[in-house]
Amino acid sequence: MTGPADDFANVDFSLSVAKAGQLRAAAKEGLIERHPAFSIIDFDALEKTVARLRDAFPAHFLHAFAIKANQYPAVLETLASLGLGGEAAAPGELELAVRAGFDATRMVLDSPVKTADEIARALRLGIVINIDNFQEFEQIRGRGDLRQTGARIGFRINPQVGAGTVGLSSTATLTSKFGVGLRDPGNRARLVDTYLEHEWLNALHVHVGSVGCPLELMAQGVSAVVALATEINGRADCRKIRTIDIGGGLPVSFVSDADTPEFADYARLLEARVPELFTGEFDVITEFGRAIVAKSAFTVARVEYTKTMGGRHIALTHAGAHNMMRIVFQPAVWARRVTALNAKGEVKSGTPVEQDIAGPCCFAGDVIAHRRGLPLLERGDLVMVHDTGAYCFSNHFYYNALSPDPVYACRRSDAGDRYRFSRISAADFRT
Ligand SMILES: *Cc1c(COP(=O)(O)O)cnc(C)c1O
């Protein structure tokens, strides 16, 4: 971890009006003084993102939020109340989805390794089930008369269109672990036959990957699956495949507050490449996670101490692998903007000095920013880590028995520039 400096050379030390106001309000509420680290989720921003998502796609698109991106019950309840669906990829997530009040017709089960119990629960609920492989298909088929359920059930397809720039989040490579490989010898014919032989199979699913997958690659994967649906419907001579689930994976930019790309950019590209999705011929499901929640939250951590080591400035903070696991283990992909703040939560000024921002975990690699150019941090200062709403503090890593930090829901109050905070609890997903 002694590599090059993070690629955040043109750091913008200013903050948006909203973030600056939220920090001032958090200081006034005593949050900064009270907590070594805490996160704020801006629910107004979250609602605006949902509105942009809705506006970008036609009404026959159902947006099922990928619960793994942020599992806080308050977030899920808000998204459910806004009419979104929920995509669960494990029994605990399914439990959270049920408790958050997502309508059963808006829930999707994508667990990569479904147990018999999980399948039984999903069938009882009547939710969308995306089957991972032919053995799982047999497991589901063995469960009685599935025609009666009316549920939307189909296979997850790996279109094998290739990887993006991040191997660990590319799910459509030749040898990825998800779904049925469309280009592997014999699979296409076997899928078509299986659909034609089973009346209750009526859906298809694809998720090409997250972060690092160009939109064109994602559209290519979706296009391959729509072509398969068209082939099956042609052979069946009816609208057998009614539902196409195109997955999530819209990337998020970590270099500014702007949403790039926007949902509308992806919608335009899909409309050009896969117009069948926009005619109403299919019910379409999306499964965006990161793009819905990432930019609605930030994390503030205290600089407890500072030191130098071998000429390197190091700030010892409470932002580390426990609340930012991905950043620590794969910094080249997940590094975030960090703003240096004083103890009152105001932006620090000063000449940028290269410094490491280290966390409290007891292992050497626990560093969330490497040789980052920031005004020199001092004892008692704060670091603000941007865009932590997805796959960050909500996916807590239980190392050193460090418990999850407090999280506050923040909403603008009616009276102008003021903010209200309410502490929200972490998911208790034990079933
Ligand atoms: C992780 C995942 C998603 C969400 O991905 P994002 O990059 O957060 O949008 C959607 N669908 C499936 C099947 C996934 O595994």
Side-chain angles (χ1 to χ4, degrees):
M1 294 285 170
T2 51
D6 286 328
D7 191 17
F8 282 80
N10 302 313
V11 219
D12 180 2
F13 292 137
S14 65
L15 286 182
S16 69
V17 174
K19 283 178 176 171
Q22 287 160 9
L23 282 170
R24 265 198 309 278
K28 220 192 240 166
E29 288 267 318
L31 307 189
I32 287 177
E33 221 172 347
R34 209 173 315 141
H35 307 303
F38 64 96
S39 295
I40 287 179
I41 303 178
D42 179 346
F43 275 65
D44 298 320
L46 180 63
E47 287 184 11
K48 281 190 194 137
T49 306
V50 170
R52 279 199 298 276
L53 167 63
R54 280 249 172 78
D55 290 347
F57 293 94
H60 66 277
F61 278 58
L62 162 66
H63 303 291
F65 173 66
I67 291 172
K68 71 176 187 279
N70 187 312
Q71 309 171 338
Y72 274 79
V75 169
L76 301 180
E77 285 159 19
T78 297
L79 296 177
S81 74
L82 293 171
L84 257 56
E87 182 262 358
E93 289 186 2
L94 183 56
E95 179 63 24
L96 290 174
V98 170
R99 287 188 207 164
F102 287 105
D103 195 275
T105 60
R106 295 173 176 272
M107 270 191 248
V108 180
L109 182 69
D110 275 349
S111 303
V113 186
K114 301 176 189 67
T115 63
D117 285 349
E118 204 177 354
I119 289 168
R121 184 166 196 207
L123 287 170
R124 267 199 314 277
L125 287 165
I127 68 177
V128 179
I129 302 179
N130 292 321
I131 302 170
D132 181 77
N133 57 70
F134 284 105
Q135 289 182 2
E136 191 177 288
F137 165 75
E138 291 301 334
Q139 169 92 338
I140 293 176
R141 185 164 75 141
R143 305 205 58 97
D145 192 354
L146 291 159
R147 280 170 308 181
Q148 303 303 320
T149 68
R152 297 188 277 181
I153 306 178
F155 278 87
R156 174 171 182 167
I157 303 298
N158 175 1
Q160 294 170 310
V161 289
T165 56
V166 183
L168 290 185
S169 50
S170 295
T171 53
T173 65
L174 194 62
T175 55
S176 157
K177 73 167 181 157
F178 297 111
V180 175
L182 191 57
R183 295 184 180 179
D184 282 355
N187 273 356
R188 189 181 188 99
R190 187 174 176 195
L191 280 166
V192 172
D193 289 347
T194 306
Y195 272 84
L196 294 177
E197 284 160 16
H198 297 89
E199 201 181 314
W200 49 273
L201 286 173
N202 53 25
L204 279 169
H205 173 225
V206 60
H207 170 72
V208 169
S210 306
V211 167
C213 287
L215 300 189
E216 279 287 356
L217 185 73
M218 289 162 56
Q220 216 180 313
V222 173
S223 177
V225 167
V226 170
L228 176 64
T230 307
E231 181 181 340
I232 293 170
N233 287 355
R235 291 275 304 278
D237 204 17
C238 69
R239 204 172 146 247
K240 178 164 175 57
I241 306 285
R242 283 176 283 128
T243 303
I244 307 262
D245 180 341
I246 63 170
L250 192 72
V252 161
S253 159
F254 293 136
V255 299
S256 81
D257 280 342
D259 284 312
T260 39
E262 294 183 33
F263 290 116
D265 298 328
Y266 187 38
R268 266 192 300 276
L269 179 75
L270 281 174
E271 191 163 10
R273 298 284 182 274
V274 206
E276 300 92 324
L277 293 179
F278 291 77
T279 59
E281 178 184 348
F282 300 107
D283 296 330
V284 184
I285 300 176
T286 73
E287 302 173 341
F288 299 112
R290 173 180 297 104
I292 293 177
V293 287
K295 301 193 88 67
S296 298
F298 61 81
T299 299
V300 175
R302 188 190 297 153
V303 178
E304 200 76 52
Y305 307 105
T306 62
K307 60 159 106 171
T308 58
M309 185 72 71
R312 175 85 47 93
H313 290 282
I314 303 174
L316 302 171
T317 78
H318 296 278
H322 62 308
N323 48 15
M324 309 191 176
M325 177 165 54
R326 287 186 169 191
I327 298 177
V328 166
F329 288 115
Q330 224 187 349
V333 179
W334 304 113
R336 303 294 209 279
R337 284 175 295 154
V338 174
T339 301
L341 308 172
N342 66 21
K344 290 191 224 150
E346 299 157 347
V347 177
K348 260 177 95 90
S349 54
T351 320
V353 176
E354 273 190 8
Q355 50 202 306
D356 284 0
I357 300 172
C361 296
C362 195
F363 73 96
D366 190 35
V367 173
I368 64 142
H370 297 265
R371 295 176 56 190
R372 185 70 62 89
L374 294 173
L376 190 61
L377 289 160
E378 297 162 285
R379 191 170 181 200
D381 284 344
L382 309 165
V383 288
M384 172 181 184
V385 185
H386 295 255
D387 306 329
T388 57
Y391 305 104
C392 207
F393 60 83
S394 67
N395 300 80
H396 184 78
F397 174 40
Y398 287 94
Y399 193 81
N400 286 145
L402 285 158
S403 40
D405 304 313
V407 176
Y408 289 86
C410 172
R411 286 182 185 277
R412 212 186 166 107
S413 70
D414 307 331
D417 195 20
R418 290 217 297 271
Y419 293 92
R420 282 180 287 123
F421 297 100
S422 52
R423 185 146 171 192
I424 60 176
S425 345
D428 175 2
F429 45 78
R430 282 165 293 196
T431 52

